[in-house]
Amino acid sequence: MCGIAGIVGQKSSEQNIKKMLFAQRHRGPDYTGFFAQESEVAFGHNRLSIIDLSSDANQPFESDCKEYILVFNGEIYNYLELKRELSSKYVFKTKSDTEVLMNAYKEYGENCLDKLNGMFAFAIWHKSEKKLFAARDRFGVKPFNYYHKKNDFFFASEIKPFWELGVEKEKNQNVWLKYFCEGSYGLPNETFWENIHQLPAGHFLEYKNEKLTIKKWYNFQERIFQKQQISSQDEEQAITDLLMNSINLRFRADVPVGFNLSGGLDSSTLLALIDKQDIDKKSIEAFTFITNDERYDELFWVKSMLENRPFHLNICELSSTEIPELSMTISDLQQEPYGGIPTLAYSKIFKTAREKGTIVLLDGQGSDEAWAGYDYYLSNNNNVIQGTKNSPFRKNVLDNDFLSHYNKTVYPKAFSDDLLNTQYRDLFYTKIPRALRFNDRISMLYGTELREPFLDYELVEYVFSRSKDFKIKDGTQKWLLRKIANKFLHQEVALAPKRPLQTPQREWLSNDLKEWVRAEVETIFDVSWFNKKIMQTELENFFNGDNSSSFHVWQWISLAQILNSK
């Protein structure tokens, strides 16, 4: 996993690409490389070495024929299988997945994407055609942001590199408005900044002669329809095999691999399946975070799951006193709103992992969306925030003129089934895109790589395409996954209900951090988007006990910190 950056057009230069790379240098502590042809094209790469640690695998990576230049962020998990497929035509000089990706593109063109099992965002420059090709993985695990205006085209893994090239910091008011009104973090092609866009998950782009073309390469609906026609005599075993294969692939690395644990079903299933792998388990580190609040901490469950298993547990503590400084660090990194104190707590895991020398981490992200694990899947409502009974938003603090431009986001309904449409929304529009962005940034901040076994596309497709009874049965969610987990885990873990809240965010913001919160929010009282008097009243109401949800207060802190970032 790494950072990539590029410029096509008159601003291409060694100086400019170096400035972009410096702005995201944390993503690649092992090597920084660039390729530049003045006023035509510049590619750059921040390398975090994971597979083939030698300098031969450094990027930008040039093809043997000298026609193509590649920068690549992510991992191609099935690179060994692809390498065997290509070995009759190509001589490989490295042991890297980068070279496999390059030769797969040379051999199959854009159709190589269908052969890749991995998380990736990459760009290839065709020298003779003067054409850029770039692509992003099926679920958007790895980021690809770009700017296109007149004859300038820039791309990068993060937002800050664009400021280095003089892109104006103009807030995307529509995205911010929907964030305040409905908790949306933008559509798959949007960011919180005007003129900075995302290449959506499962899409590729081509840029030639100042013309940009974007196409969808991953047709999820079609894949689900195909999988719905397939069944196994033993569905439980078929899904167990998919889970085991996914985890096996994600242990491919030339650096130490560990995993993140909570007390929930997903990470406990991950633990059980890791325990079944043919690996040296004593060398594998486990990580969990705590806030020293027994109402939220899951340490009891984590320790219970690790009983009689050889994995060493690292307990990563977050205290309320760390929040002011750490939140500003993460806000400056993200340059967009993120998931509050849970994200800050999670960041402690990656910091600790790096200090321990564990460079790759696995976690349980993606299970709830494929298996219908959120509470609102039972009630079939339109919520996007879990664990709240009352509205977590405060539209009443918004200025009337600003609010008048609000139109509720209507998400596409790709299926005839309501449950599948809600899952589809969460996979491609709400839950997964935002979680992946939050977690990509915090893992890369500390020079670590996060892998998501539950987002293996073959696993997601198969589970998603199963009937509702496999997911929700007699009111029990993730039913078949619990049944699989029950073979490996204590029954009380496998059958435990989902716990939506894992940190005392409400308590800390309304009590321990009250004065800090007030100081942060006061800096946006005079922003034209808000009614100052009503915002003041809502803030005091929060401090005085109206704190069943703290999401609206975190929204205000997010804006304040982004406006005050460097």
Side-chain angles (χ1 to χ4, degrees), residues 379-411:
S379 56
N380 193 29
N381 60 36
N382 292 317
N383 284 359
V384 294
I385 306 293
Q386 156 134 320
T388 60
K389 295 180 180 178
N390 301 320
S391 173
F393 315 118
R394 295 295 185 273
K395 290 191 283 188
N396 59 318
V397 308
L398 299 176
D399 174 77
N400 287 334
D401 182 58
F402 184 45
L403 183 58
S404 69
H405 294 92
Y406 172 61
N407 291 299
K408 185 174 175 59
T409 304
V410 178
Y411 297 103

PDB file of all heavy atoms in Angstrom, residues 379-411:
ATOM      1  N   SER A 379     -35.872  -3.002  10.621  1.00  0.00           N
ATOM      2  CA  SER A 379     -37.019  -2.095  10.571  1.00  0.00           C
ATOM      3  C   SER A 379     -37.313  -1.583   9.170  1.00  0.00           C
ATOM      4  O   SER A 379     -38.329  -0.935   8.932  1.00  0.00           O
ATOM      5  CB  SER A 379     -36.779  -0.902  11.504  1.00  0.00           C
ATOM      6  OG  SER A 379     -35.573  -0.239  11.163  1.00  0.00           O
ATOM      7  N   ASN A 380     -36.372  -1.832   8.230  1.00  0.00           N
ATOM      8  CA  ASN A 380     -36.555  -1.429   6.832  1.00  0.00           C
ATOM      9  C   ASN A 380     -36.827   0.066   6.703  1.00  0.00           C
ATOM     10  O   ASN A 380     -37.696   0.511   5.964  1.00  0.00           O
ATOM     11  CB  ASN A 380     -37.698  -2.224   6.180  1.00  0.00           C
ATOM     12  CG  ASN A 380     -37.699  -2.071   4.657  1.00  0.00           C
ATOM     13  OD1 ASN A 380     -36.656  -1.864   4.054  1.00  0.00           O
ATOM     14  ND2 ASN A 380     -38.872  -2.151   4.058  1.00  0.00           N
ATOM     15  N   ASN A 381     -36.075   0.880   7.500  1.00  0.00           N
ATOM     16  CA  ASN A 381     -36.214   2.330   7.346  1.00  0.00           C
ATOM     17  C   ASN A 381     -35.039   2.869   6.545  1.00  0.00           C
ATOM     18  O   ASN A 381     -34.212   2.122   6.065  1.00  0.00           O
ATOM     19  CB  ASN A 381     -36.325   3.019   8.719  1.00  0.00           C
ATOM     20  CG  ASN A 381     -35.090   2.779   9.590  1.00  0.00           C
ATOM     21  OD1 ASN A 381     -33.970   2.714   9.098  1.00  0.00           O
ATOM     22  ND2 ASN A 381     -35.299   2.628  10.896  1.00  0.00           N
ATOM     23  N   ASN A 382     -34.979   4.182   6.410  1.00  0.00           N
ATOM     24  CA  ASN A 382     -33.961   4.789   5.553  1.00  0.00           C
ATOM     25  C   ASN A 382     -32.771   5.337   6.330  1.00  0.00           C
ATOM     26  O   ASN A 382     -32.041   6.194   5.840  1.00  0.00           O
ATOM     27  CB  ASN A 382     -34.594   5.912   4.716  1.00  0.00           C
ATOM     28  CG  ASN A 382     -35.573   5.371   3.697  1.00  0.00           C
ATOM     29  OD1 ASN A 382     -35.301   4.375   3.041  1.00  0.00           O
ATOM     30  ND2 ASN A 382     -36.725   6.020   3.571  1.00  0.00           N
ATOM     31  N   ASN A 383     -32.573   4.878   7.552  1.00  0.00           N
ATOM     32  CA  ASN A 383     -31.474   5.374   8.366  1.00  0.00           C
ATOM     33  C   ASN A 383     -30.124   5.090   7.722  1.00  0.00           C
ATOM     34  O   ASN A 383     -29.950   4.101   7.021  1.00  0.00           O
ATOM     35  CB  ASN A 383     -31.491   4.719   9.758  1.00  0.00           C
ATOM     36  CG  ASN A 383     -32.570   5.298  10.647  1.00  0.00           C
ATOM     37  OD1 ASN A 383     -33.297   6.201  10.247  1.00  0.00           O
ATOM     38  ND2 ASN A 383     -32.691   4.754  11.849  1.00  0.00           N
ATOM     39  N   VAL A 384     -29.193   5.985   7.989  1.00  0.00           N
ATOM     40  CA  VAL A 384     -27.798   5.723   7.631  1.00  0.00           C
ATOM     41  C   VAL A 384     -26.910   5.785   8.871  1.00  0.00           C
ATOM     42  O   VAL A 384     -25.715   5.537   8.792  1.00  0.00           O
ATOM     43  CB  VAL A 384     -27.270   6.729   6.572  1.00  0.00           C
ATOM     44  CG1 VAL A 384     -27.982   6.540   5.259  1.00  0.00           C
ATOM     45  CG2 VAL A 384     -27.401   8.170   7.054  1.00  0.00           C
ATOM     46  N   ILE A 385     -27.499   6.128  10.035  1.00  0.00           N
ATOM     47  CA  ILE A 385     -26.773   6.182  11.297  1.00  0.00           C
ATOM     48  C   ILE A 385     -27.330   5.088  12.192  1.00  0.00           C
ATOM     49  O   ILE A 385     -28.535   5.056  12.457  1.00  0.00           O
ATOM     50  CB  ILE A 385     -26.929   7.558  11.996  1.00  0.00           C
ATOM     51  CG1 ILE A 385     -26.519   8.692  11.048  1.00  0.00           C
ATOM     52  CG2 ILE A 385     -26.113   7.603  13.280  1.00  0.00           C
ATOM     53  CD1 ILE A 385     -25.066   8.743  10.694  1.00  0.00           C
ATOM     54  N   GLN A 386     -26.465   4.203  12.672  1.00  0.00           N
ATOM     55  CA  GLN A 386     -26.913   3.104  13.534  1.00  0.00           C
ATOM     56  C   GLN A 386     -26.927   3.533  14.980  1.00  0.00           C
ATOM     57  O   GLN A 386     -26.159   4.371  15.425  1.00  0.00           O
ATOM     58  CB  GLN A 386     -25.976   1.906  13.335  1.00  0.00           C
ATOM     59  CG  GLN A 386     -25.949   0.956  14.512  1.00  0.00           C
ATOM     60  CD  GLN A 386     -26.055  -0.486  14.114  1.00  0.00           C
ATOM     61  OE1 GLN A 386     -26.800  -0.856  13.226  1.00  0.00           O
ATOM     62  NE2 GLN A 386     -25.314  -1.318  14.795  1.00  0.00           N
ATOM     63  N   GLY A 387     -27.841   2.929  15.773  1.00  0.00           N
ATOM     64  CA  GLY A 387     -27.837   3.102  17.215  1.00  0.00           C
ATOM     65  C   GLY A 387     -28.488   4.372  17.699  1.00  0.00           C
ATOM     66  O   GLY A 387     -28.250   4.799  18.826  1.00  0.00           O
ATOM     67  N   THR A 388     -29.330   5.020  16.886  1.00  0.00           N
ATOM     68  CA  THR A 388     -30.025   6.235  17.302  1.00  0.00           C
ATOM     69  C   THR A 388     -31.528   6.045  17.161  1.00  0.00           C
ATOM     70  O   THR A 388     -32.002   5.440  16.205  1.00  0.00           O
ATOM     71  CB  THR A 388     -29.600   7.449  16.460  1.00  0.00           C
ATOM     72  OG1 THR A 388     -29.911   7.190  15.087  1.00  0.00           O
ATOM     73  CG2 THR A 388     -28.111   7.713  16.591  1.00  0.00           C
ATOM     74  N   LYS A 389     -32.276   6.562  18.133  1.00  0.00           N
ATOM     75  CA  LYS A 389     -33.737   6.516  18.074  1.00  0.00           C
ATOM     76  C   LYS A 389     -34.300   7.837  17.565  1.00  0.00           C
ATOM     77  O   LYS A 389     -35.252   7.876  16.804  1.00  0.00           O
ATOM     78  CB  LYS A 389     -34.300   6.183  19.453  1.00  0.00           C
ATOM     79  CG  LYS A 389     -33.925   4.775  19.930  1.00  0.00           C
ATOM     80  CD  LYS A 389     -34.496   4.473  21.305  1.00  0.00           C
ATOM     81  CE  LYS A 389     -34.108   3.067  21.755  1.00  0.00           C
ATOM     82  NZ  LYS A 389     -34.614   2.750  23.119  1.00  0.00           N
ATOM     83  N   ASN A 390     -33.705   8.929  18.028  1.00  0.00           N
ATOM     84  CA  ASN A 390     -34.118  10.252  17.566  1.00  0.00           C
ATOM     85  C   ASN A 390     -33.180  10.718  16.454  1.00  0.00           C
ATOM     86  O   ASN A 390     -32.109  10.153  16.253  1.00  0.00           O
ATOM     87  CB  ASN A 390     -34.093  11.257  18.721  1.00  0.00           C
ATOM     88  CG  ASN A 390     -35.009  10.826  19.859  1.00  0.00           C
ATOM     89  OD1 ASN A 390     -36.105  10.320  19.620  1.00  0.00           O
ATOM     90  ND2 ASN A 390     -34.549  11.009  21.092  1.00  0.00           N
ATOM     91  N   SER A 391     -33.575  11.774  15.744  1.00  0.00           N
ATOM     92  CA  SER A 391     -32.743  12.273  14.652  1.00  0.00           C
ATOM     93  C   SER A 391     -31.388  12.743  15.188  1.00  0.00           C
ATOM     94  O   SER A 391     -31.323  13.514  16.153  1.00  0.00           O
ATOM     95  CB  SER A 391     -33.436  13.428  13.939  1.00  0.00           C
ATOM     96  OG  SER A 391     -32.551  14.004  12.987  1.00  0.00           O
ATOM     97  N   PRO A 392     -30.297  12.297  14.573  1.00  0.00           N
ATOM     98  CA  PRO A 392     -28.972  12.760  14.986  1.00  0.00           C
ATOM     99  C   PRO A 392     -28.584  14.097  14.364  1.00  0.00           C
ATOM    100  O   PRO A 392     -27.483  14.587  14.594  1.00  0.00           O
ATOM    101  CB  PRO A 392     -28.059  11.643  14.490  1.00  0.00           C
ATOM    102  CG  PRO A 392     -28.751  11.106  13.281  1.00  0.00           C
ATOM    103  CD  PRO A 392     -30.222  11.251  13.532  1.00  0.00           C
ATOM    104  N   PHE A 393     -29.477  14.680  13.555  1.00  0.00           N
ATOM    105  CA  PHE A 393     -29.161  15.909  12.829  1.00  0.00           C
ATOM    106  C   PHE A 393     -29.871  17.115  13.463  1.00  0.00           C
ATOM    107  O   PHE A 393     -30.890  16.969  14.131  1.00  0.00           O
ATOM    108  CB  PHE A 393     -29.570  15.778  11.361  1.00  0.00           C
ATOM    109  CG  PHE A 393     -29.158  14.468  10.744  1.00  0.00           C
ATOM    110  CD1 PHE A 393     -30.104  13.571  10.264  1.00  0.00           C
ATOM    111  CD2 PHE A 393     -27.820  14.112  10.667  1.00  0.00           C
ATOM    112  CE1 PHE A 393     -29.728  12.359   9.725  1.00  0.00           C
ATOM    113  CE2 PHE A 393     -27.432  12.901  10.122  1.00  0.00           C
ATOM    114  CZ  PHE A 393     -28.392  12.013   9.656  1.00  0.00           C
ATOM    115  N   ARG A 394     -29.323  18.297  13.220  1.00  0.00           N
ATOM    116  CA  ARG A 394     -29.928  19.535  13.712  1.00  0.00           C
ATOM    117  C   ARG A 394     -30.040  20.528  12.551  1.00  0.00           C
ATOM    118  O   ARG A 394     -29.301  21.503  12.454  1.00  0.00           O
ATOM    119  CB  ARG A 394     -29.085  20.129  14.848  1.00  0.00           C
ATOM    120  CG  ARG A 394     -29.033  19.279  16.100  1.00  0.00           C
ATOM    121  CD  ARG A 394     -30.384  19.138  16.778  1.00  0.00           C
ATOM    122  NE  ARG A 394     -30.282  18.413  18.037  1.00  0.00           N
ATOM    123  CZ  ARG A 394     -30.334  17.088  18.158  1.00  0.00           C
ATOM    124  NH1 ARG A 394     -30.495  16.340  17.060  1.00  0.00           N
ATOM    125  NH2 ARG A 394     -30.234  16.512  19.340  1.00  0.00           N
ATOM    126  N   LYS A 395     -30.998  20.251  11.663  1.00  0.00           N
ATOM    127  CA  LYS A 395     -31.197  21.134  10.508  1.00  0.00           C
ATOM    128  C   LYS A 395     -31.650  22.526  10.935  1.00  0.00           C
ATOM    129  O   LYS A 395     -31.474  23.497  10.198  1.00  0.00           O
ATOM    130  CB  LYS A 395     -32.212  20.517   9.549  1.00  0.00           C
ATOM    131  CG  LYS A 395     -31.714  19.297   8.812  1.00  0.00           C
ATOM    132  CD  LYS A 395     -32.638  18.874   7.686  1.00  0.00           C
ATOM    133  CE  LYS A 395     -33.852  18.146   8.179  1.00  0.00           C
ATOM    134  NZ  LYS A 395     -34.657  17.578   7.087  1.00  0.00           N
ATOM    135  N   ASN A 396     -32.223  22.620  12.136  1.00  0.00           N
ATOM    136  CA  ASN A 396     -32.743  23.909  12.596  1.00  0.00           C
ATOM    137  C   ASN A 396     -31.650  24.946  12.822  1.00  0.00           C
ATOM    138  O   ASN A 396     -31.944  26.149  12.890  1.00  0.00           O
ATOM    139  CB  ASN A 396     -33.550  23.734  13.882  1.00  0.00           C
ATOM    140  CG  ASN A 396     -32.747  23.131  15.012  1.00  0.00           C
ATOM    141  OD1 ASN A 396     -31.976  22.195  14.816  1.00  0.00           O
ATOM    142  ND2 ASN A 396     -32.914  23.659  16.213  1.00  0.00           N
ATOM    143  N   VAL A 397     -30.368  24.527  12.922  1.00  0.00           N
ATOM    144  CA  VAL A 397     -29.295  25.507  13.131  1.00  0.00           C
ATOM    145  C   VAL A 397     -28.824  26.106  11.808  1.00  0.00           C
ATOM    146  O   VAL A 397     -28.016  27.041  11.805  1.00  0.00           O
ATOM    147  CB  VAL A 397     -28.084  24.894  13.870  1.00  0.00           C
ATOM    148  CG1 VAL A 397     -28.515  24.209  15.142  1.00  0.00           C
ATOM    149  CG2 VAL A 397     -27.298  23.947  12.975  1.00  0.00           C
ATOM    150  N   LEU A 398     -29.319  25.573  10.694  1.00  0.00           N
ATOM    151  CA  LEU A 398     -28.855  26.036   9.393  1.00  0.00           C
ATOM    152  C   LEU A 398     -29.585  27.301   8.967  1.00  0.00           C
ATOM    153  O   LEU A 398     -30.789  27.458   9.200  1.00  0.00           O
ATOM    154  CB  LEU A 398     -29.047  24.945   8.335  1.00  0.00           C
ATOM    155  CG  LEU A 398     -28.297  23.632   8.584  1.00  0.00           C
ATOM    156  CD1 LEU A 398     -28.655  22.606   7.514  1.00  0.00           C
ATOM    157  CD2 LEU A 398     -26.789  23.860   8.620  1.00  0.00           C
ATOM    158  N   ASP A 399     -28.846  28.182   8.319  1.00  0.00           N
ATOM    159  CA  ASP A 399     -29.426  29.410   7.764  1.00  0.00           C
ATOM    160  C   ASP A 399     -30.502  29.044   6.736  1.00  0.00           C
ATOM    161  O   ASP A 399     -30.326  28.093   5.945  1.00  0.00           O
ATOM    162  CB  ASP A 399     -28.316  30.227   7.103  1.00  0.00           C
ATOM    163  CG  ASP A 399     -28.854  31.442   6.367  1.00  0.00           C
ATOM    164  OD1 ASP A 399     -29.182  32.429   7.018  1.00  0.00           O
ATOM    165  OD2 ASP A 399     -28.941  31.350   5.114  1.00  0.00           O
ATOM    166  N   ASN A 400     -31.604  29.771   6.741  1.00  0.00           N
ATOM    167  CA  ASN A 400     -32.741  29.429   5.872  1.00  0.00           C
ATOM    168  C   ASN A 400     -32.365  29.418   4.394  1.00  0.00           C
ATOM    169  O   ASN A 400     -32.829  28.564   3.630  1.00  0.00           O
ATOM    170  CB  ASN A 400     -33.901  30.400   6.107  1.00  0.00           C
ATOM    171  CG  ASN A 400     -34.597  30.136   7.431  1.00  0.00           C
ATOM    172  OD1 ASN A 400     -34.570  29.008   7.935  1.00  0.00           O
ATOM    173  ND2 ASN A 400     -35.198  31.168   8.008  1.00  0.00           N
ATOM    174  N   ASP A 401     -31.542  30.368   3.981  1.00  0.00           N
ATOM    175  CA  ASP A 401     -31.154  30.426   2.575  1.00  0.00           C
ATOM    176  C   ASP A 401     -30.301  29.208   2.194  1.00  0.00           C
ATOM    177  O   ASP A 401     -30.509  28.591   1.151  1.00  0.00           O
ATOM    178  CB  ASP A 401     -30.383  31.717   2.294  1.00  0.00           C
ATOM    179  CG  ASP A 401     -30.005  31.834   0.825  1.00  0.00           C
ATOM    180  OD1 ASP A 401     -30.914  31.815  -0.024  1.00  0.00           O
ATOM    181  OD2 ASP A 401     -28.789  31.909   0.531  1.00  0.00           O
ATOM    182  N   PHE A 402     -29.360  28.858   3.065  1.00  0.00           N
ATOM    183  CA  PHE A 402     -28.523  27.675   2.846  1.00  0.00           C
ATOM    184  C   PHE A 402     -29.391  26.415   2.808  1.00  0.00           C
ATOM    185  O   PHE A 402     -29.285  25.580   1.895  1.00  0.00           O
ATOM    186  CB  PHE A 402     -27.487  27.592   3.973  1.00  0.00           C
ATOM    187  CG  PHE A 402     -26.490  26.472   3.853  1.00  0.00           C
ATOM    188  CD1 PHE A 402     -25.843  26.177   2.662  1.00  0.00           C
ATOM    189  CD2 PHE A 402     -26.169  25.696   4.972  1.00  0.00           C
ATOM    190  CE1 PHE A 402     -24.911  25.152   2.558  1.00  0.00           C
ATOM    191  CE2 PHE A 402     -25.238  24.668   4.897  1.00  0.00           C
ATOM    192  CZ  PHE A 402     -24.614  24.397   3.686  1.00  0.00           C
ATOM    193  N   LEU A 403     -30.297  26.299   3.768  1.00  0.00           N
ATOM    194  CA  LEU A 403     -31.143  25.116   3.875  1.00  0.00           C
ATOM    195  C   LEU A 403     -32.102  24.987   2.690  1.00  0.00           C
ATOM    196  O   LEU A 403     -32.467  23.871   2.300  1.00  0.00           O
ATOM    197  CB  LEU A 403     -31.940  25.171   5.181  1.00  0.00           C
ATOM    198  CG  LEU A 403     -32.833  23.978   5.512  1.00  0.00           C
ATOM    199  CD1 LEU A 403     -32.029  22.688   5.582  1.00  0.00           C
ATOM    200  CD2 LEU A 403     -33.573  24.223   6.832  1.00  0.00           C
ATOM    201  N   SER A 404     -32.479  26.105   2.091  1.00  0.00           N
ATOM    202  CA  SER A 404     -33.444  26.074   0.988  1.00  0.00           C
ATOM    203  C   SER A 404     -32.907  25.327  -0.231  1.00  0.00           C
ATOM    204  O   SER A 404     -33.676  24.922  -1.101  1.00  0.00           O
ATOM    205  CB  SER A 404     -33.834  27.504   0.582  1.00  0.00           C
ATOM    206  OG  SER A 404     -32.735  28.176  -0.029  1.00  0.00           O
ATOM    207  N   HIS A 405     -31.593  25.132  -0.295  1.00  0.00           N
ATOM    208  CA  HIS A 405     -30.991  24.426  -1.429  1.00  0.00           C
ATOM    209  C   HIS A 405     -30.923  22.912  -1.212  1.00  0.00           C
ATOM    210  O   HIS A 405     -30.427  22.187  -2.074  1.00  0.00           O
ATOM    211  CB  HIS A 405     -29.567  24.957  -1.681  1.00  0.00           C
ATOM    212  CG  HIS A 405     -29.534  26.383  -2.132  1.00  0.00           C
ATOM    213  ND1 HIS A 405     -29.415  27.444  -1.264  1.00  0.00           N
ATOM    214  CD2 HIS A 405     -29.634  26.931  -3.368  1.00  0.00           C
ATOM    215  CE1 HIS A 405     -29.423  28.576  -1.935  1.00  0.00           C
ATOM    216  NE2 HIS A 405     -29.562  28.297  -3.216  1.00  0.00           N
ATOM    217  N   TYR A 406     -31.423  22.465  -0.065  1.00  0.00           N
ATOM    218  CA  TYR A 406     -31.309  21.037   0.255  1.00  0.00           C
ATOM    219  C   TYR A 406     -32.325  20.189  -0.496  1.00  0.00           C
ATOM    220  O   TYR A 406     -33.519  20.487  -0.509  1.00  0.00           O
ATOM    221  CB  TYR A 406     -31.494  20.819   1.759  1.00  0.00           C
ATOM    222  CG  TYR A 406     -31.593  19.365   2.147  1.00  0.00           C
ATOM    223  CD1 TYR A 406     -30.547  18.486   1.905  1.00  0.00           C
ATOM    224  CD2 TYR A 406     -32.748  18.874   2.761  1.00  0.00           C
ATOM    225  CE1 TYR A 406     -30.637  17.145   2.260  1.00  0.00           C
ATOM    226  CE2 TYR A 406     -32.846  17.534   3.120  1.00  0.00           C
ATOM    227  CZ  TYR A 406     -31.797  16.676   2.872  1.00  0.00           C
ATOM    228  OH  TYR A 406     -31.888  15.347   3.211  1.00  0.00           O
ATOM    229  N   ASN A 407     -31.823  19.156  -1.129  1.00  0.00           N
ATOM    230  CA  ASN A 407     -32.661  18.117  -1.723  1.00  0.00           C
ATOM    231  C   ASN A 407     -32.154  16.776  -1.228  1.00  0.00           C
ATOM    232  O   ASN A 407     -30.971  16.462  -1.377  1.00  0.00           O
ATOM    233  CB  ASN A 407     -32.588  18.157  -3.258  1.00  0.00           C
ATOM    234  CG  ASN A 407     -33.254  19.390  -3.835  1.00  0.00           C
ATOM    235  OD1 ASN A 407     -34.450  19.588  -3.655  1.00  0.00           O
ATOM    236  ND2 ASN A 407     -32.477  20.234  -4.499  1.00  0.00           N
ATOM    237  N   LYS A 408     -33.040  16.008  -0.623  1.00  0.00           N
ATOM    238  CA  LYS A 408     -32.641  14.726  -0.046  1.00  0.00           C
ATOM    239  C   LYS A 408     -32.040  13.824  -1.122  1.00  0.00           C
ATOM    240  O   LYS A 408     -32.552  13.739  -2.239  1.00  0.00           O
ATOM    241  CB  LYS A 408     -33.846  14.045   0.590  1.00  0.00           C
ATOM    242  CG  LYS A 408     -33.509  12.749   1.324  1.00  0.00           C
ATOM    243  CD  LYS A 408     -34.716  12.206   2.046  1.00  0.00           C
ATOM    244  CE  LYS A 408     -34.414  10.846   2.681  1.00  0.00           C
ATOM    245  NZ  LYS A 408     -33.313  10.900   3.650  1.00  0.00           N
ATOM    246  N   THR A 409     -30.950  13.164  -0.773  1.00  0.00           N
ATOM    247  CA  THR A 409     -30.302  12.245  -1.699  1.00  0.00           C
ATOM    248  C   THR A 409     -31.215  11.056  -1.981  1.00  0.00           C
ATOM    249  O   THR A 409     -31.757  10.441  -1.052  1.00  0.00           O
ATOM    250  CB  THR A 409     -28.974  11.727  -1.117  1.00  0.00           C
ATOM    251  OG1 THR A 409     -28.148  12.847  -0.787  1.00  0.00           O
ATOM    252  CG2 THR A 409     -28.251  10.842  -2.129  1.00  0.00           C
ATOM    253  N   VAL A 410     -31.384  10.752  -3.243  1.00  0.00           N
ATOM    254  CA  VAL A 410     -32.155   9.572  -3.651  1.00  0.00           C
ATOM    255  C   VAL A 410     -31.157   8.570  -4.214  1.00  0.00           C
ATOM    256  O   VAL A 410     -30.496   8.829  -5.230  1.00  0.00           O
ATOM    257  CB  VAL A 410     -33.222   9.921  -4.706  1.00  0.00           C
ATOM    258  CG1 VAL A 410     -33.964   8.657  -5.147  1.00  0.00           C
ATOM    259  CG2 VAL A 410     -34.210  10.952  -4.152  1.00  0.00           C
ATOM    260  N   TYR A 411     -31.035   7.445  -3.536  1.00  0.00           N
ATOM    261  CA  TYR A 411     -30.070   6.438  -3.957  1.00  0.00           C
ATOM    262  C   TYR A 411     -30.705   5.482  -4.961  1.00  0.00           C
ATOM    263  O   TYR A 411     -31.895   5.171  -4.866  1.00  0.00           O
ATOM    264  CB  TYR A 411     -29.559   5.661  -2.737  1.00  0.00           C
ATOM    265  CG  TYR A 411     -28.820   6.531  -1.760  1.00  0.00           C
ATOM    266  CD1 TYR A 411     -29.424   6.959  -0.576  1.00  0.00           C
ATOM    267  CD2 TYR A 411     -27.520   6.954  -2.023  1.00  0.00           C
ATOM    268  CE1 TYR A 411     -28.755   7.772   0.323  1.00  0.00           C
ATOM    269  CE2 TYR A 411     -26.844   7.771  -1.135  1.00  0.00           C
ATOM    270  CZ  TYR A 411     -27.463   8.179   0.032  1.00  0.00           C
ATOM    271  OH  TYR A 411     -26.787   9.001   0.907  1.00  0.00           O
TER     272      TYR A 411
END
